[in-house]
Amino acid sequence: GQQVMQIPQYQHVQEGEDFTTYCNSSTTLSNIQWYKQRPGGHPVFLIQLVKSGEVKKQKRLTFQFGEAKKNSSLHITATQTTDVGTYFCAGSGTYKYIFGTGTRLKVLA
Amino acid sequence: EAQVTQNPRYLITVTGKKLTVTCSQNMNHEYMSWYRQDPGLGLRQIYYSMNVEVTDKGDVPEGYKVSRKEKRNFPLILESPSPNQTSLYFCASSLRAGKNIQYFGAGTRLSVL
């Protein structure tokens, strides 16, 4: 079945350093969504990418969707302690959502 | 306020004792879904519902049941819980399936002894 893998599983960075998480699907995705889950919280939607090669920015966050629509990345510039949490990508089929395994980010002040 | 409400937030039970986790949304969403979250495995979809009286299996449906008698409610039923169902459970809803934002409930932490 369809699988979505994320790397790395964990990342510790010093505050101010950059951070990137990568999402890879075994099949072509119609779209990809990114969610953030704060410690002890629930996933919260960040963004959706639909077009091949699409790049979107939200302040210090940059999201990319691969040309083949099988991979995606989230890059955070100059991390802050508020960026702490687990970041998930999710691909959707007609009815099902497949979430990646998540990347847990810790930011050391 | 638009929200997805799950109850209970925490539950400790024993093997074999039937339980129900309720989920309700007030956004008139057609699509609802249940996930379990386990360390290193991310979020895995248990069951989903495209609309009232329409449900289907996700990736890990064994040991779970759901129903969708009303648009706003989507309870998760564990007929005979086992320790391997100890997990963090999330209910989510979206306007429709596919290219729509999912809104998650606060989660239910279940321990089966």
Side-chain angles (χ1 to χ4, degrees), chain A residues 49-66:
Chain A
L49 305 170
V50 179
K51 299 176 185 175
S52 168
E54 189 170 12
V55 178
K56 286 188 176 180
K57 292 190 175 186
Q58 287 181 350
K59 298 182 180 177
R60 294 177 295 104
L61 278 61
T62 302
F63 304 83
Q64 288 189 304
F65 201 7

Side-chain angles (χ1 to χ4, degrees), chain A residues 6-97:
Chain A
Q6 264 184 270
I7 55 169
Q9 189 173 0
Y10 301 98
Q11 183 86 60
H12 294 187
V13 298
Q14 287 290 138
E15 190 173 21
E17 291 182 339
D18 292 357
F19 159 77
T20 304
T21 174
Y22 300 91
C23 182
N24 295 289
S25 171
S26 58
T27 59
T28 301
L29 301 168
S30 60
N31 65 80
I32 194 151
Q33 298 176 339
W34 284 91
Y35 291 80
K36 177 183 178 180
Q37 183 180 23
R38 294 184 188 276
H42 59 277
V44 174
F45 175 82
L46 292 176
I47 208 159
Q48 178 169 268
L49 305 170
V50 179
K51 299 176 185 175
S52 168
E54 189 170 12
V55 178
K56 286 188 176 180
K57 292 190 175 186
Q58 287 181 350
K59 298 182 180 177
R60 294 177 295 104
L61 278 61
T62 302
F63 304 83
Q64 288 189 304
F65 201 7
E67 293 290 342
K69 300 184 78 173
K70 294 180 73 173
N71 57 74
S72 181
S73 66
L74 158 59
H75 179 82
I76 303 178
T77 303
T79 55
Q80 300 175 358
T81 54
T82 53
D83 295 325
V84 164
T86 302
Y87 293 84
F88 292 100
C89 62
S92 66
T94 306
Y95 298 117
K96 294 173 69 171
Y97 289 86

Side-chain angles (χ1 to χ4, degrees), chain A residues 9 31 33 35 37 41-43 45 48 50 88 92-101, chain B residues 31 35 37 40 42-43 45 48 50 58-59 90 94 96-102 104-105:
Chain A
Q9 189 173 0
N31 65 80
Q33 298 176 339
Y35 291 80
Q37 183 180 23
H42 59 277
F45 175 82
Q48 178 169 268
V50 179
F88 292 100
S92 66
T94 306
Y95 298 117
K96 294 173 69 171
Y97 289 86
I98 305 292
F99 275 77
T101 44
Chain B
Y31 186 89
Y35 296 89
Q37 183 175 14
L43 290 155
Q45 197 169 31
Y48 60 92
M50 289 80 78
D59 290 323
F90 287 103
S94 63
R96 275 177 286 278
K99 301 176 185 177
N100 285 274
I101 300 168
Q102 289 194 90
F104 284 80

